[in-house]
Amino acid sequence: MAKIILVSKVVSPTTWQLAHALRTQQHEVTILTSYKEEPLGELHNIQFMAYFKKWNFTEGFKILIGFFGFQPQILHIILEDDRMNKAQILLSTFAKAHPSCVLTTSLLNIRYGLHYKNPVRYLIEQSDIITCPTVEALGQLRGLNVRASSQGRGILPPALDFRDNHLGENSIDDTEVRLSADLNKEDYFVVPFREPRFNPKSGNFQRIQTLAKKYKVVLWGSYSHWSLRERKQFAVWMKDNNLDRRWVMTGPITIQLSKNILKSSKAMILAGQKFTPLEITEYYLRAIQAGSVLILDSRQSGVHADLWKSAVNCWILNQENLLNDLNALLERQDLALPEVLSELHTQNEQLMDSSLNELNRLYNKALSNLR
């Protein structure tokens, strides 16, 4: 069994579940994180070091002194997106220079691009093991000048965090009570709404209009950042298509109300929107806890790909033929599915097991290459 240090600026559910899974496989695990970060539960013999305040070279050098005594066999850096700080650069340089240490990187989202000025590009090129949340994300690493000819690559999606305190019960105010009561009068879809501006020609707005012709559309989000003119233009655009009574904007709402709205909806529709793997995992979590039907596109279903089965526990539309597939789906009299994913069912599926078993295999292979 190996000595493993997980380096993560925040103690995310992904980091936490990974640490515990590795510990159950008898690895010696240390979490190295930011000052004032807290464990998400019982440590169970995991060493927890909330050390970094600034993540700079000075702090990095200080922690390296301890590394020589600890003699880690695997340094695993977890990045929520493709940015890294000076301390992470220093730690990864140490790991790569150390002949008995395997450098592993988990990149959960590629947001800025792996261009020549991005140090994450060079981290990936130097790493012995790379994991990404989807096959598509791994494909974006093609063309990099990988130094390790035997670099291992695998899939590690963001964790679905079902801890009780994550989506606790909250009271709802009078405005939310009225919204909930109004929605109980008719069938509706829920669509997460994060549009930066009103653009009637965009695919997202065209889909909103298409959906509103079938059922009322609950836009889960806010357009308070829009100008008053844009809000009026959107309202007029919907009215001109005889859809002025077929939509509502929720604005900021409590977790409890969002759960109630999802539970009573015909479906939550994510298809066509661009979400990071972390963002879409959060929507998956909300839908599973509410027992809501999900409509995804083929790209989105690549996150936790083992979970989704089209026409069985979700509906998956072809990303390349999205509007036609959506129109065909809306022709159905009923969107109910044979299986509704529940929290218990999803946890019993042990979604991370196959990914973690593959990661453990990559660890062992990389360690054997060092000998």
Side-chain angles (χ1 to χ4, degrees), residues 287-299:
I288 291 168
Q289 291 191 315
S292 174
V293 172
L294 267 175
I295 300 177
L296 313 173
D297 64 45
S298 50
R299 179 175 297 171

Side-chain angles (χ1 to χ4, degrees), residues 1-6 22 25-30 66-77 91 94-104 128-129 360 362-371:
M1 298 300 103
K3 292 182 179 180
I4 302 173
I5 295 181
L6 300 178
L22 293 172
Q25 295 172 340
Q26 306 306 309
H27 294 297
E28 189 175 329
V29 181
T30 298
F67 273 18
F68 286 105
F70 185 73
Q71 295 184 330
Q73 294 167 283
I74 297 171
L75 183 75
H76 190 149
I77 297 177
L91 294 176
F94 159 81
K96 195 58 187 176
H98 202 288
S100 61
C101 187
V102 169
L103 175 60
T104 302
D128 300 294
I129 299 171
N360 206 43
L362 293 173
Y363 279 164
N364 290 333
K365 181 179 179 181
L367 287 169
S368 65
N369 288 338
L370 294 178
R371 298 189 185 105

Side-chain angles (χ1 to χ4, degrees), residues 95-341:
K96 195 58 187 176
H98 202 288
S100 61
C101 187
V102 169
L103 175 60
T104 302
T105 299
S106 288
L107 180 57
L108 297 179
N109 183 44
I110 300 175
R111 183 191 301 271
Y112 302 98
L114 301 174
H115 49 76
Y116 288 100
K117 293 183 178 180
N118 187 345
V120 176
R121 176 189 179 98
Y122 303 102
L123 173 65
I124 291 172
E125 291 179 340
Q126 294 289 343
S127 294
D128 300 294
I129 299 171
I130 291 290
T131 74
C132 289
T134 64
V135 173
E136 181 186 25
L138 279 178
Q140 295 183 56
L141 307 185
R142 293 193 189 100
L144 298 185
N145 186 22
V146 176
R147 301 291 190 273
S149 59
S150 59
Q151 185 184 75
R153 294 186 175 184
I155 304 297
L156 184 66
L160 285 161
D161 180 18
F162 287 108
R163 289 175 297 122
D164 291 340
N165 63 347
H166 187 67
L167 290 179
E169 300 293 313
N170 302 102
S171 60
I172 59 178
D173 61 27
D174 291 342
T175 302
E176 293 180 323
V177 169
R178 288 193 295 271
L179 173 61
S180 184
D182 289 343
L183 292 177
N184 286 336
K185 299 174 184 177
E186 54 191 315
D187 292 329
Y188 60 88
F189 293 125
V190 175
V191 179
F193 188 83
R194 311 183 312 161
E195 297 302 310
R197 56 185 291 270
F198 175 53
N199 178 11
K201 295 182 180 180
S202 76
N204 285 342
F205 283 101
Q206 292 296 323
R207 284 187 292 274
I208 287 171
Q209 198 173 86
T210 298
L211 294 168
K213 293 175 182 177
K214 180 71 174 182
Y215 297 118
K216 189 166 187 170
V217 177
V218 176
L219 300 174
W220 181 13
S222 172
Y223 59 4
S224 61
H225 55 286
W226 287 10
S227 66
L228 181 59
R229 180 184 179 186
E230 282 185 307
R231 293 182 224 175
K232 289 181 177 178
Q233 286 176 332
F234 177 57
V236 169
W237 182 66
M238 293 294 279
K239 185 176 181 179
D240 287 346
N241 289 278
N242 298 314
L243 301 172
D244 51 316
R245 297 183 180 274
R246 303 298 292 271
W247 69 279
V248 63
M249 187 77 66
T250 66
I253 56 176
T254 61
I255 290 174
Q256 182 58 42
L257 180 57
S258 67
K259 185 176 180 180
N260 294 345
I261 289 175
L262 285 174
K263 186 175 183 179
S264 300
S265 69
K266 299 293 290 184
M268 177 163 70
I269 301 171
L270 305 179
Q273 297 200 57
K274 293 183 179 180
F275 302 110
T276 69
L278 289 168
E279 289 169 342
I280 203 165
T281 297
E282 181 69 15
Y283 284 121
Y284 289 168
L285 175 69
R286 301 289 185 97
I288 291 168
Q289 291 191 315
S292 174
V293 172
L294 267 175
I295 300 177
L296 313 173
D297 64 45
S298 50
R299 179 175 297 171
Q300 293 167 342
S301 64
V303 182
H304 292 289
D306 292 342
L307 179 62
W308 305 114
K309 299 173 184 176
S310 187
V312 176
N313 57 23
C314 69
W315 297 103
I316 300 177
L317 311 181
N318 187 337
Q319 172 70 20
E320 305 301 325
N321 196 35
L322 198 56
L323 194 56
N324 287 338
D325 277 11
L326 180 60
N327 279 314
L329 183 62
L330 294 178
E331 291 296 320
R332 300 180 65 94
Q333 295 298 315
D334 190 0
L335 295 177
L337 292 160
E339 294 180 9
V340 176
L341 289 178

